[in-house]
Amino acid sequence: GQQLNQSPQSMFIQEGEDVSMNCTSSSIFNTWLWYKQDPGEGPVLLIALYKAGELTSNGRLTAQFGITRKDSFLNISASIPSDVGIYFCAGPYSNTGNQFYFGTGTSLTVIP
Amino acid sequence: DSGVTQTPKHLITATGQRVTLRCSPRSGDLSVYWYQQSLDQGLQFLIQYYNGEERAKGNILERFSAQQFPDLHSELNLSSLELGDSALYFCASSVMGGGLNEQFFGPGTRLTVL
């Protein structure tokens, strides 16, 4: 199946710092979604991207749909303790009948 | 609160048993997705239903089955349970069945097989 690779795998940052993470695929995706998951909870949708090159913001979060359609980036500005969690990219891959794939995740720890 | 409900929240059972997990989608959503998340693992897509019909199938074992009922709620049936089936099972729903797939997740059911 498709593999969505996220990097970095984990991050430890000071409160107030900016964060950047990315997601890459070997195949073209037409939609990229970014989710945040707290331990033991369901993922929560943060941002949805539908067009190559699209840049979308949601508060302190900004995500971009890569021009090649094989990658996406998520930035968090001025991190706060509640940003702690695991961030997943995801998308439907039409060549496999719209199966939905999630990335390997980036674990974020914010040190107060 | 995403509007997606799942029951039960926790389930403890023994190997060889069969369980049923239930999901109610957000009001107005026609599509339901099931995922498995093992400890420290990402989310593995199992299966999708759209308006009562199977739409996409992922890495779902033959021991597992699902269905979506006319009222759009869905059930995931897990049979002949093994220790390795212990995981969080999430249901998600979306308005459409393909294309624009903004999925909203429920709180999950934690299954423990002893």
Side-chain angles (χ1 to χ4, degrees), chain A:
Chain A
Q2 289 302 304
Q3 183 85 1
L4 297 182
N5 295 306
Q6 289 186 243
S7 65
Q9 186 175 356
S10 61
M11 304 179 75
F12 294 81
I13 61 168
Q14 291 289 138
E15 182 177 358
E17 288 184 358
D18 296 344
V19 172
S20 291
M21 60 188 79
N22 67 46
C23 178
T24 60
S25 167
S26 57
S27 303
I28 289 173
F29 277 68
N30 294 319
T31 301
W32 287 98
L33 307 177
W34 283 93
Y35 287 87
K36 176 177 182 276
Q37 186 178 26
D38 293 329
E41 303 290 328
V44 174
L45 181 64
L46 300 174
I47 291 179
L49 302 162
Y50 300 107
K51 286 171 51 176
E54 179 182 353
L55 188 72
T56 298
S57 293
N58 179 8
R60 293 178 298 105
L61 276 61
T62 301
Q64 184 163 23
F65 194 140
I67 290 293
T68 66
R69 293 163 63 193
K70 293 183 178 182
D71 56 9
S72 180
F73 307 87
L74 177 69
N75 297 313
I76 306 173
S77 62
S79 58
I80 59 178
S82 62
D83 291 334
V84 166
I86 301 178
Y87 291 79
F88 290 101
C89 60
Y93 182 58
S94 60
N95 284 18
T96 56
N98 272 330
Q99 286 192 41
F100 217 77
Y101 292 91
F102 273 75
T104 49
T106 292
S107 174
L108 178 64
T109 300
V110 179
I111 303 166

Side-chain angles (χ1 to χ4, degrees), chain B:
Chain B
D1 185 350
S2 66
V4 178
T5 61
Q6 288 187 248
T7 57
K9 191 164 178 61
H10 300 278
L11 196 49
I12 301 174
T13 188
T15 54
Q17 295 298 303
R18 172 190 169 94
V19 297
T20 298
L21 313 183
R22 182 188 169 102
C23 169
S24 293
R26 293 186 320 159
S27 176
D29 284 359
L30 299 178
S31 205
V32 169
Y33 309 75
W34 286 98
Y35 293 86
Q36 179 192 57
Q37 187 176 37
S38 302
L39 189 64
D40 295 331
Q41 297 290 313
L43 289 124
Q44 296 295 318
F45 169 70
L46 296 178
I47 198 165
Q48 176 200 358
Y49 279 82
Y50 176 72
N51 205 19
E53 294 193 1
E54 184 182 303
R55 175 61 68 96
K57 210 166 187 175
N59 300 320
I60 187 167
L61 299 172
E62 284 193 13
R63 299 184 286 110
F64 296 0
S65 65
Q67 53 184 327
Q68 185 178 28
F69 294 87
D71 67 353
L72 301 178
H73 90 270
S74 177
E75 292 181 355
L76 178 67
N77 300 297
L78 315 176
S79 61
S80 302
L81 286 167
E82 302 174 359
L83 295 177
D85 296 328
S86 296
L88 269 167
Y89 290 85
F90 288 104
C91 164
S93 73
S94 67
V95 173
M96 304 293 289
L100 302 183
N101 274 319
E102 292 187 20
Q103 295 181 25
F104 295 87
F105 281 76
T109 292
R110 182 176 292 281
L111 174 66
T112 302
V113 182
L114 302 176

